[in-house]
Amino acid sequence: MRQGKTRKRAATAGRPRRALRLTAALCALVQTPGEDPGPAPGIAYMSDREYEDSLARMLADAPTADDIRVFAYGSLIWKPCFAFIEQRIGTVEGWHRSCCLKSTRWRGTPDKPGLMLALEPGGRCRGVVYRLAPDTSRDGLMALWRRELGPKPLNHDPLWLSVRTEKGAVPAITFVANPQGLSYVGATSIDEAADMIAQAAGVWGPCAAYLHETVVRLRTLGIRDRYLWRLQSAVAEKIISERSKGSASHEDPDLQQQRQSLCPQGADRPPRIATRQ
């Protein structure tokens, strides 16, 4: 088995990397709302005391008090909210990325919700392990707690998970999906998820841009997540298809340029959209 994998890597080493179909230009075609509608009425949020108590319980279970690490698999990879002194590529066994949390404010609206990433049971996930700066770790973790935990019931559960790295396994705080969370929608097909992401935009911009940033950063780090790669391709085609509706006489020049980038050899058909197995 190992020899087979080695031969496969050698055979593909000289091939050019496949182009990312979901581009920043395509993401910019998604219309964003003008103003922040604010928190939805009737939703309860964590209090300052609850944040403090939750973080204190987490740190009380820390394997080492002066060596706190966080495992990042989504936006924390390209937009961390804490100071860190080290980062490594790592793998968490028994969990996988899933667009299973709807966003009705930051990356979507109540009418057109977006989808955000969380970890769900099964498989494995490669990401980044950050080692926090000891002198600012408490403040950094509180910023992280306020970012990932908020409306009740909570969308994430913070856990200590073992992360395998080239330098050995390390414990790290990891946020996994809470199936009882307010925004949890569960597993969706590639096509269903692409439909939602391609149309959604919120206070922080298009949901497609969130996906784009994540895939781009993962690719820079040498991490390829098959699920996200297939999803970005499907979202790209959905955005083009949506913008093309009603343009029977001529196509938007922006879309012509994007279609040419998707089919650089002048193919007449758009790229095939794979569905989730």
Side-chain angles (χ1 to χ4, degrees), residues 1-274:
M1 178 64 72
R2 184 178 298 274
Q3 292 178 350
K5 289 183 178 180
T6 302
R7 286 195 296 268
K8 184 175 181 181
R9 284 195 296 266
T12 59
R15 296 179 186 175
R17 294 200 304 177
R18 293 171 59 189
L20 192 69
R21 288 171 174 167
L22 182 61
T23 64
L26 273 181
C27 295
L29 296 178
V30 182
Q31 186 175 2
T32 58
E35 297 181 358
D36 181 4
I43 296 179
Y45 289 82
M46 291 182 71
S47 65
D48 291 342
R49 179 60 181 272
E50 287 174 317
Y51 278 119
E52 291 286 349
D53 291 347
S54 173
L55 180 55
R57 289 193 299 270
M58 198 69 188
L59 293 178
D61 293 333
T64 54
D66 58 348
D67 188 14
I68 305 299
R69 301 172 190 263
V70 173
F71 179 71
Y73 54 85
S75 62
L76 282 176
I77 292 178
W78 47 272
K79 194 176 182 181
C81 58
F82 43 74
F84 58 92
I85 58 176
E86 180 188 82
Q87 62 176 351
R88 305 182 199 169
I89 303 299
T91 302
V92 169
E93 299 287 347
W95 299 88
H96 68 276
R97 289 181 181 85
S98 174
C99 286
C100 60
L101 300 177
K102 68 179 179 180
S103 176
T104 58
R105 183 183 181 189
W106 307 121
R107 293 288 181 177
T109 63
D111 293 336
K112 293 182 178 180
L115 285 175
M116 312 291 282
L117 285 168
L119 292 187
E120 292 203 275
R124 65 180 58 179
C125 177
R126 293 187 73 206
V128 176
V129 186
Y130 293 108
R131 183 182 180 191
L132 275 60
D135 55 339
T136 61
S137 62
R138 179 87 185 193
D139 292 340
L141 286 174
M142 181 52 68
L144 177 63
W145 245 241
R146 291 183 177 276
R147 171 169 160 171
E148 301 296 333
L149 307 178
K152 302 177 182 179
L154 301 178
N155 293 318
H156 293 99
D157 286 329
L159 301 177
W160 285 102
L161 295 180
S162 177
V163 185
R164 177 168 47 84
T165 76
E166 290 185 348
K167 297 181 180 180
V170 294
I173 296 172
T174 310
F175 290 88
V176 305
N178 174 19
Q180 283 73 49
L182 179 68
S183 301
Y184 182 78
V185 296
T188 57
S189 69
I190 291 288
D191 195 59
E192 291 170 329
D195 267 334
M196 294 179 67
I197 293 171
Q199 300 181 60
V203 177
W204 291 346
C207 192
Y210 162 84
L211 175 62
H212 173 262
E213 291 283 358
T214 303
V215 176
V216 166
R217 183 56 179 160
L218 287 173
R219 191 183 195 195
T220 301
L221 294 169
I223 300 173
R224 181 182 172 109
D225 185 297
R226 291 180 61 190
Y227 166 66
L228 292 187
W229 192 262
R230 294 161 64 193
L231 182 58
Q232 63 82 25
S233 179
V235 170
E237 189 57 33
K238 295 283 186 182
I239 293 175
I240 291 177
S241 177
E242 184 66 24
R243 285 290 297 252
S244 297
K245 289 179 180 178
S247 302
S249 58
H250 66 280
E251 188 173 56
D252 188 318
D254 289 338
L255 294 182
Q256 285 185 345
Q257 182 178 1
Q258 291 301 319
R259 280 201 179 276
Q260 290 171 1
S261 68
L262 294 183
C263 305
Q265 282 76 39
D268 295 328
R269 58 182 176 85
R272 184 182 62 173
I273 300 173

